[in-house]
Amino acid sequence: MARFGLSALQSMLRPRGAGRAEAAPPASWSRAFGLGWERPYTVRYASNLDDGPNHGMPLGGFGAGCIGRAPDGSFNLWHLDGGEHWFGTLPDCQFALFESDGEQRRAHALAVKPEADASRPEAGEPLSAWNWYPASTSEQSTGTYAARYPLSSTHYTGVFQAEVSCEAFSPILPGDYQRTSYPVAVFVWTLHNPTRAPLDLSLLLSWRNTTGWFTNTDPSASVHFRDDGSPEHNYVPAIGRSQGQRNRWVDAENLRGVLLEGERSTPLAEGQGQWCLATDAGLEQGHPGLTIQRCSRWNPAGDGAELWQPFATGGSIPDSNNDRASGSNDPASAALAVRCRLEPGDTIEIPLVISWDLPVTAFATGTHCLRRYTDFFGGEGNAAAAIAAEALANWRDWHAAIEAWQQPVLERADLPEPLRMALFNELYDLTSGGSLWSAASPEDPVGRFGVLECLDYAWYESLDVRLYGSFALLQLWPELDKSVLRSFARAIPAADPTPRPIGWYFTQGKGRVEAARKLAGATPHDLGAPNERPWDASNYTAYQDCNLWKDLASDFVLQVWRTFRLAPSGEDLRFLADCWPAAVQALQYLKTFDANGDGLPDNGGAPDQTFDDWPLQGVSAYCGALWIAALEAALAMGQRLQLELGLDTSSAQRDFSSWLEQSRANFDRLLWNGEYYRIDAESGTPVVMADQLCGDFYARLLGLPAVVADERAQSSLRAVKEACFEGFQGGRLGVANGLRRDGTPLDPNGTHPLEVWTGINFGLAAYYRLMGDTATALAITGAVVEQVYTGGLQFRTPEAITGVNTFRACHYLRAMAIWALWATHTGWQPIPGSERQPCAEQQPCAERQP
């Protein structure tokens, strides 16, 4: 059996041999600075996204847009247009350090040398005048990057005489529905002089004016199908647009900075607004001799000498406030430098802040929303300096609050360190998973929220996926989880008869088959896509006809009851009442697929559940168990609402009770084979399905009557462990979705059955833990975490990995199911802050000026 925390991952968590300064913080993922990957996982389908393994932790608030700084120091992830993705290094967006001891001087940009743009060979080497920091090799480390979301740190060693480190973070705070939305990244640089002579140091931050870039210039919103049958739309951002950009100094009581602005329309359009680079003005008073210099404009299109030559010579930059507006093909970057002298033994802490105020997220139909942070800073796109000033005033408190909420996880020595690391780092997707978070309204007092299923399947909050992946949101930001479920409750009664082609039939060579987009009463698969009207136009995906799915209604009911019962903020009867009519309608609709009157909905042959490439026929273990658990949950809902709010739920309760009695009488009779549950009742498929009893897991988790007897659950789990875990690659990768009882594949070329789904594995691990088998739970989790964090998949965790080092669907929502293991292992121990209701200061404040 695979063991949790294999040596390769342990060495990444705690790098050795390079001195104390490089030791990674506890429960963090780390890697030698700039070290490449010998054999990273690569994408399974050519059309799917694969930006390579150079991914670091994202910075920015939920729904605010985010940026990502990689383990080689480059800024290369730009998710600043809600729901859209752009990956590419801007070399002039960078830090640099100058050092002189009076005899020798050196200056390095604090990232490895960027590669030339292969698509533009005429452009040559970017910023050729700059001196870049050397990358680590397998023989020698030049530093360490470490991440424990939302904190990351970089230590630089062996190049400068000074000890140099940087800690970066955004105020991601459980239960805080204000600061968690802020579009800001804080970089706290610590410089220490360990020598016997004074050191003159200068820390530089340079940044490109990108206002106007992050909006889609393709207005068509047309949909086409990839080679795997999934729909996608074009995204063509305005990268490189410069017309009307201008940079200027900005000063406030606690701030010295530069504002980067662009053209503005009325009303403000997507991508328009401001950026701000800033540092603490108090540094000049607190450190005699320290100076802050600002260069409002330099040209990043050339060799960069105009900025680099004076910096590398003496640590200075041109101190100018040139606010000339750019023309076309006239890029402008700005820079800020903090110069100081450190005597032997001295240390200085320098906060540098990057904030952005791009308040509008537009959708292709012409609709748009304001982002949640505008409730506190206004929606005019002129608050970047105010956001930066708040960060400079409060970053120490924010950092302390992050440490406080992480402490209960860090202290759980009964959980292996790789698991504790992954609990934190898998939360990255709430920032960089294309998340939307709208401004508040009377109907949605904390706004509307959504995270993409993934960047390849770019639609929001796929209900079957969030059955697993929403455990993190539930435990840390429960009001956002309620917001998502309320959006589904509104969508269930809606209808859209527009016919669409179904992608799966194309992949099967069956030609064009069409289906209505959304039938009334059908539980939608998702809450729409960023190129349409997310939250309001549901069922964007057209790979399958989601009106026929047999798990979605059960998924909705179970999540509503789960959130009501287990949210750390307490039971919310109003939320339950809001969702009750939709729950009733959803279950009534699903019951219409009970073809033979045995109480259980029947799968129809085409894939019609979360394993949407895996046909099931008749009653299935997966959908049937979810159905039984959902009926139990619905009965419990109706009883609470009738007893405590006086709602008349008796008719629905009678129906559910009758269906439940029938379902329970037939489930085992149709599916139990004496050792485990058959995948379905009619196809005759001889495989052990790994997630056959997800419904039983949910029932037991929620304190409902179990779907199956204890001994049959245990027997099924033993079969899954032996066939799909130990029998698949010796347990090295995790649990495959479905194999024969002897561990061999039914179809060696199968898709879903031979994949290890990260989120399903974490959910299964939680089920094993709930059933008392902690060793297997940790072994499964350890195998998956090992693959993700040694295979170059960190901060882009995929849906699926295979036995031949390929992956599918990165940045995937379901992987946050790792928080289900935390819940089952700790008995729902709350994280500090998560139990709070949104307080007055977190509500929109009319008196507060941006």
Side-chain angles (χ1 to χ4, degrees):
M1 181 186 295
R3 288 190 174 182
F4 190 95
L6 302 179
S7 58
L9 182 55
Q10 291 286 10
S11 67
M12 285 187 165
L13 290 171
R14 296 296 182 91
R16 303 287 197 267
R20 182 182 60 82
E22 276 196 272
S28 62
W29 176 82
S30 71
R31 188 166 182 85
F33 185 86
L35 182 67
W37 276 259
E38 290 185 5
R39 190 170 176 256
Y41 273 82
T42 55
V43 76
R44 180 174 188 178
Y45 296 111
S47 63
N48 276 199
L49 180 69
D50 187 357
D51 293 316
N54 192 32
H55 280 73
M57 188 197 80
L59 292 154
F62 296 177
C66 71
I67 56 179
R69 190 172 189 230
D72 68 355
S74 63
F75 286 91
N76 59 9
L77 183 76
W78 308 85
H79 285 186
L80 293 159
D81 180 352
E84 306 290 3
H85 170 75
W86 189 71
F87 188 88
T89 298
L90 298 178
D92 47 306
C93 292
Q94 194 47 254
F95 297 99
L97 186 68
F98 166 86
E99 175 186 85
S100 172
D101 62 3
E103 297 181 2
Q104 294 181 321
R105 62 190 179 200
R106 59 187 59 83
H108 291 277
L110 296 175
V112 303
K113 185 177 180 178
E115 296 180 359
D117 186 347
S119 66
R120 299 178 60 244
E122 74 281 0
E125 179 183 323
L127 301 182
S128 57
W130 287 34
N131 187 30
W132 299 89
Y133 195 84
S136 299
T137 66
S138 56
E139 291 77 30
Q140 183 176 5
S141 171
T142 59
T144 301
Y145 173 87
R148 190 181 74 210
Y149 183 84
L151 302 170
S152 69
S153 60
T154 309
H155 297 277
Y156 297 85
T157 56
V159 175
F160 295 102
Q161 294 185 66
E163 293 179 357
V164 181
S165 65
C166 175
E167 190 163 35
F169 61 93
S170 299
I172 306 300
L173 305 172
D176 191 324
Y177 300 92
Q178 176 174 335
R179 292 158 193 87
T180 302
S181 74
Y182 283 4
V184 67
V186 179
F187 301 85
V188 181
W189 288 87
T190 302
L191 310 177
H192 173 70
N193 181 1
T195 74
R196 297 182 179 180
L199 291 177
D200 290 315
L201 299 168
S202 182
L203 179 64
L204 168 74
L205 168 59
S206 168
W207 206 255
R208 177 81 66 92
N209 190 328
T210 63
T211 53
W213 284 24
F214 298 103
T215 186
N216 196 356
T217 62
D218 181 354
S220 68
S222 60
V223 175
H224 54 91
F225 291 92
R226 297 185 183 89
D227 58 353
D228 65 358
S230 61
E232 67 174 350
H233 66 275
N234 288 332
Y235 179 60
V236 186
I239 303 302
R241 178 185 291 173
S242 63
Q243 185 70 41
Q245 292 177 342
R246 59 192 289 265
N247 305 334
R248 59 187 174 90
W249 291 8
V250 61
D251 295 288
E253 182 178 352
N254 71 326
L255 176 149
R256 297 286 180 273
V258 186
L259 277 177
L260 288 61
E261 302 173 300
E263 291 184 327
R264 305 171 71 89
S265 60
T266 303
L268 202 69
E270 182 178 67
Q272 296 179 348
Q274 296 178 328
W275 289 78
C276 183
L277 319 179
T279 192
D280 187 349
L283 289 171
E284 292 178 319
Q285 287 73 47
H287 301 273
L290 181 146
T291 60
I292 298 170
Q293 292 184 316
R294 288 170 286 180
C295 174
S296 68
R297 186 183 184 94
W298 67 276
N299 180 12
D303 63 5
E306 67 174 293
L307 187 74
W308 192 258
Q309 185 174 355
F311 182 75
T313 301
S316 294
I317 61 174
D319 209 14
S320 65
N321 189 14
N322 176 2
D323 65 351
R324 175 181 69 83
S326 292
S328 60
N329 300 313
D330 183 19
S333 290
L336 180 153
V338 180
R339 303 176 63 200
C340 64
R341 167 167 285 199
L342 287 187
E343 298 297 330
D346 280 359
T347 301
I348 188 171
E349 210 170 47
I350 301 173
L352 294 174
V353 168
I354 301 171
S355 63
W356 54 97
D357 183 11
L358 308 172
V360 177
T361 295
F363 313 118
T365 55
T367 58
H368 70 278
C369 75
L370 291 177
R371 288 171 155 150
R372 166 63 172 172
Y373 76 85
T374 63
D375 287 334
F376 315 106
F377 291 99
E380 301 303 314
N382 59 6
I387 296 166
E390 184 162 335
L392 289 166
N394 297 312
W395 67 264
R396 287 184 174 85
D397 292 339
W398 293 351
H399 189 278
I402 292 169
E403 294 282 7
W405 79 254
Q406 292 191 337
Q407 197 60 36
V409 180
L410 294 174
E411 290 174 348
R412 291 300 297 237
D414 55 331
L415 292 175
E417 188 175 13
L419 170 54
R420 284 175 276 156
M421 175 275 295
L423 280 166
F424 296 123
N425 283 333
E426 290 304 322
L427 295 173
Y428 82 94
D429 199 52
L430 293 169
T431 295
S432 67
S435 57
L436 293 183
W437 189 1
S438 73
S441 69
E443 189 177 30
D444 296 286
V446 296
R448 303 179 83 175
F449 185 78
V451 176
L452 294 177
E453 178 174 333
C454 67
L455 296 174
D456 284 307
Y457 313 149
W459 39 85
Y460 282 97
E461 293 291 339
S462 299
L463 191 61
D464 56 315
V465 174
R466 79 179 317 273
L467 180 73
Y468 306 80
S470 60
F471 276 96
L473 201 65
L474 166 67
Q475 293 176 78
L476 303 173
W477 293 274
E479 298 305 314
L480 295 184
D481 190 55
K482 292 178 190 176
S483 170
V484 173
L485 292 171
R486 281 190 168 104
S487 293
F488 273 103
R490 294 167 190 158
I492 285 170
D496 181 351
T498 307
R500 298 183 304 168
I502 303 303
W504 180 76
Y505 291 97
F506 289 123
T507 69
Q508 304 300 303
K510 297 182 179 180
R512 187 179 184 92
V513 175
E514 293 188 343
R517 176 164 178 161
K518 171 69 171 68
L519 298 180
T523 303
H525 169 272
D526 55 75
L527 293 175
N531 64 313
E532 290 192 338
R533 291 180 294 115
W535 299 303
D536 297 318
S538 63
N539 265 1
Y540 181 84
T541 182
Y543 182 61
Q544 296 289 356
D545 178 2
C546 296
N547 297 295
L548 303 179
W549 279 31
K550 309 309 186 298
D551 55 349
L552 294 173
S554 301
D555 294 345
F556 173 71
V557 172
L558 287 169
Q559 289 176 65
V560 169
W561 183 243
R562 180 202 64 181
T563 297
F564 171 74
R565 289 283 292 118
L566 299 178
S569 51
E571 293 186 345
D572 183 346
L573 282 164
R574 177 45 51 195
F575 162 75
L576 197 64
D578 289 345
C579 296
W580 170 252
V584 172
Q585 188 175 14
L587 292 175
Q588 289 171 339
Y589 178 91
L590 182 52
K591 182 60 168 61
T592 66
F593 293 99
D594 176 9
N596 52 16
D598 60 10
L600 291 155
D602 292 280
N603 295 88
D608 53 7
Q609 25 65 45
T610 195
F611 301 94
D612 58 359
D613 207 27
W614 200 355
L616 303 178
Q617 186 69 50
V619 175
S620 66
Y622 181 76
C623 296
L626 286 169
W627 166 254
I628 290 171
L631 290 176
E632 293 283 7
L635 282 170
M637 282 187 209
Q639 291 164 5
R640 291 294 298 273
L641 290 171
Q642 187 156 329
L643 286 172
E644 299 187 39
L645 290 184
L647 299 181
D648 184 2
T649 64
S650 55
S651 177
Q653 288 192 64
R654 283 193 298 271
D655 287 342
F656 298 156
S657 181
S658 173
W659 301 345
L660 183 60
E661 184 178 0
Q662 280 184 295
S663 298
R664 284 193 173 278
N666 290 309
F667 184 78
D668 279 29
R669 180 181 64 82
L670 292 169
L671 297 170
W672 178 248
N673 72 357
E675 186 186 9
Y676 57 90
Y677 288 87
R678 289 192 294 270
I679 188 170
D680 61 35
E682 296 180 17
S683 71
T685 305
V687 299
V688 180
M689 185 183 194
D691 207 24
Q692 58 189 260
L693 290 179
C694 180
D696 186 62
F697 163 64
Y698 249 88
R700 293 172 186 269
L701 184 73
L702 302 180
L704 299 168
V707 173
V708 301
D710 289 358
E711 62 272 16
R712 293 190 175 184
Q714 297 284 10
S715 179
S716 297
L717 287 173
R718 281 194 300 272
V720 170
K721 173 182 170 182
E722 293 169 5
C724 301
F725 182 39
E726 296 170 340
F728 183 71
Q729 302 282 328
R732 179 178 61 87
L733 301 184
V735 181
N737 282 326
L739 296 172
R740 295 178 189 266
R741 182 61 182 86
D742 63 2
T744 60
L746 180 66
D747 176 4
N749 299 314
T751 53
H752 289 185
L754 293 181
E755 291 180 329
V756 171
W757 287 13
T758 56
I760 295 289
N761 270 246
F762 294 147
L764 272 172
Y767 188 24
Y768 277 99
R769 176 63 187 83
L770 197 63
M771 298 302 291
D773 189 353
T774 300
T776 300
L778 297 183
I780 291 170
T781 308
V784 175
V785 169
E786 174 87 15
Q787 297 306 311
V788 170
Y789 287 90
T790 63
L793 296 172
Q794 73 290 334
F795 303 110
R796 56 174 188 146
T797 306
E799 161 78 318
I801 60 174
T802 73
V804 291
N805 263 62
T806 62
F807 71 88
R808 179 173 58 82
C810 60
H811 299 261
Y812 206 77
L813 168 61
R814 193 173 345 228
M816 282 186 287
I818 196 168
W819 277 84
L821 192 61
W822 169 261
T824 56
H825 196 79
T826 63
W828 294 92
Q829 177 180 328
I831 297 295
S834 61
E835 70 277 10
R836 293 183 298 172
Q837 294 282 355
C839 60
E841 68 168 354
Q842 295 173 357
Q843 297 300 318
C845 181
E847 290 76 25
R848 178 171 180 169
Q849 297 300 314

